[in-house]
Amino acid sequence: MIATVQGSMRERLIEAASELFYANGLRAVSVDKVIDRAGTTKVTFYRHFQSKDDLIVAYLESRAELERNGVDAAIAHGAGDVDASLRLMSEHTGTAACAPGFRGCPFINAAAEYPDPDSSVRKVVDTHRDWWTSAFERLVAPLGLADPAAVADDLMLLRDGVMVAGYLGDPTKIAASFLRSCQAVIRGASRAPTGW
């Protein structure tokens, strides 16, 4: 029972941090604000996290898990139909971008606040971005493209762009634009010449 209570307090701290970090930025939110939002004490906070950066890492890892589950589900649902998977991914992206409080990609935001590539926060960002690229490679694998890694890099660039555009531009246009752009990249790679 004690482990469950401790586990749930850890989750409450991560949930409180998630709301605050995403809405206000990582550096702008103090540990005290997270503790207050979670309704706990500093002693309890430090029982679960050695530092604020450890909490940020946990927050990003929880966000990564949500994204990965969604992308994996879209790829599995498509069952080799790349266009069907892309449609699901773009619909989800459009829905997220239109949600109240959307502030873009939490990983791009974290990278902007933690530019040191050796920081624990930046390492989580890099690991997640590598995962996204490999997910795009898995997505296009059924197409037998000559250079699936290059296509995955292009799709990753589009994903980054849609996250920024969803925050800064008109989010209602995001889903359709993302889908069209991804389809164009894949079509281009399907018939790309071997040289210029």
Side-chain angles (χ1 to χ4, degrees):
M1 177 68 175
I2 292 175
T4 305
V5 171
Q6 287 179 350
S8 64
M9 179 50 70
R10 185 177 196 283
E11 293 308 311
R12 276 179 43 197
L13 285 162
I14 293 170
E15 184 178 317
S18 294
E19 294 169 12
L20 293 168
F21 288 156
Y22 189 69
N24 302 298
L26 302 176
R27 295 199 185 273
V29 175
S30 68
V31 167
D32 289 335
K33 287 181 184 176
V34 174
I35 290 168
D36 186 50
R37 173 69 63 94
T40 190
T41 64
K42 278 190 180 186
V43 171
T44 302
F45 174 85
Y46 287 108
R47 189 176 300 138
H48 295 284
F49 301 100
Q50 292 182 0
S51 68
K52 180 180 169 184
D53 280 1
D54 288 343
L55 176 62
I56 293 169
V57 165
Y59 150 69
L60 290 172
E61 287 174 344
S62 71
R63 292 296 298 246
E65 183 179 2
L66 290 173
E67 285 186 21
R68 292 172 186 180
N69 290 342
V71 171
D72 286 341
I75 292 171
H77 181 78
D81 182 341
V82 176
D83 198 56
S85 295
L86 280 174
R87 285 182 188 285
L88 283 174
M89 292 167 71
S90 64
E91 286 170 14
H92 173 75
T93 301
T95 300
C98 289
F102 181 76
R103 287 185 24 91
C105 173
F107 298 91
I108 293 172
N109 296 345
E113 291 193 59
Y114 283 79
D116 179 2
D118 294 325
S119 74
S120 58
V121 171
R122 190 57 182 265
K123 286 178 181 177
V124 172
V125 170
D126 293 343
T127 296
H128 188 55
R129 291 180 61 74
D130 290 344
W131 179 89
W132 259 105
T133 303
S134 70
F136 281 129
E137 283 190 58
R138 284 187 290 120
L139 173 71
V140 300
L143 300 176
L145 302 173
D147 192 353
V151 173
D153 288 341
D154 293 346
L155 294 176
M156 187 64 187
L157 184 66
L158 293 173
R159 186 239 171 231
D160 288 347
V162 78
M163 290 288 100
V164 174
Y167 178 50
L168 298 177
D170 182 355
T172 62
K173 298 178 181 179
I174 294 305
S177 179
F178 182 54
L179 180 60
R180 281 192 313 271
S181 299
C182 289
Q183 289 169 332
V185 164
I186 291 168
R187 273 194 311 272
S190 297
R191 59 176 184 260
T194 56
W196 292 96

